[in-house]
């Protein structure tokens, strides 16, 4: 049975809080759920995908990734950052038996004005966990090598 949009949204929103709660409670086994590591890695990209660096007065600069670089599925790093900061990223049907996909909210594919004009706001980008893992590894390696 396909769940309605509100149920799906509530479950995805709760999933992010469950990730945080389990990590804070020391439940490291939660990291073994397919997609959880990738979601955390996406959030950890935020400092490197900002328009203006927060390094005024510092002798060193924070590494910065090219915001126009495509992450995947037509989503560039700027839009991925905005979506992570203002909406959500989650995983569908994630279990060892059924390897789900990373779900990136529809705001990652359009600006706010275009999103607000949408009558049905259910367009999402999806990425296989394996592809997201590979791309995130490449991006974090770029950050490490830029120092």
């Amino acid at each position: 049975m396909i769940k309605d949009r509100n149920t799906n949204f509530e479950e995805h929103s709760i999933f992010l809080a469950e990730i945080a709660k389990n990590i804070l409670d020391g439940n490291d086994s939660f990291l073994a759920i397919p997609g959880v590591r990738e979601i955390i890695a996406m959030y950890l990209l935020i400092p490197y995908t900002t328009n203006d660096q927060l390094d005024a007065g510092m002798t060193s600069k924070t590494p910065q990734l090219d915001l126009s670089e495509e992450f995947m599925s037509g989503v560039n790093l700027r839009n991925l950052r905005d979506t992570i900061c203002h909406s959500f990223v989650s995983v569908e049907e994630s279990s060892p038996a059924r390897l789900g996909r990373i779900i990136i909210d529809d705001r990652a594919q359009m600006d706010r004005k275009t999103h607000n004009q949408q009558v049905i706001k259910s367009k999402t980008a999806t990425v296989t966990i394996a592809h997201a893992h590979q791309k995130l590894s490449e991006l974090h390696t770029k950050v490490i090598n830029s120092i």
Side-chain angles (χ1 to χ4, degrees), residues 41 44-45 48 63-65 69 77 132-147:
L44 293 174
L45 275 180
Y48 314 110
Q64 187 170 3
L65 296 170
E69 181 177 339
L77 290 180
H133 185 95
Q134 179 182 351
K135 182 64 175 184
L136 289 162
S137 182
E138 290 171 10
L139 290 168
H140 283 286
T141 298
K142 276 185 182 180
V143 170
I144 291 166
N145 291 337
S146 71
I147 297 173

Side-chain angles (χ1 to χ4, degrees), residues 60-109:
S60 60
K61 291 192 173 283
T62 301
Q64 187 170 3
L65 296 170
D66 178 2
L67 297 180
S68 65
E69 181 177 339
E70 182 180 37
F71 177 69
M72 280 186 197
S73 301
V75 175
N76 66 29
L77 290 180
R78 176 188 310 272
N79 293 340
L80 178 65
R81 181 220 40 222
D82 291 349
T83 299
I84 290 170
C85 291
H86 302 295
S87 191
F88 74 90
V89 174
S90 193
V91 178
E92 67 178 2
E93 298 185 34
S94 182
S95 69
R98 183 162 170 93
L99 193 60
R101 299 176 298 177
I102 301 284
I103 301 168
I104 304 171
D105 189 61
D106 60 355
R107 294 173 209 194
Q109 296 171 315

Side-chain angles (χ1 to χ4, degrees), residues 16-32:
L16 296 179
E18 287 175 339
I19 291 171
K21 184 75 171 107
N22 276 276
I23 290 170
L24 290 168
D25 290 346
N27 181 6
D28 296 337
S29 65
F30 202 79
L31 295 171

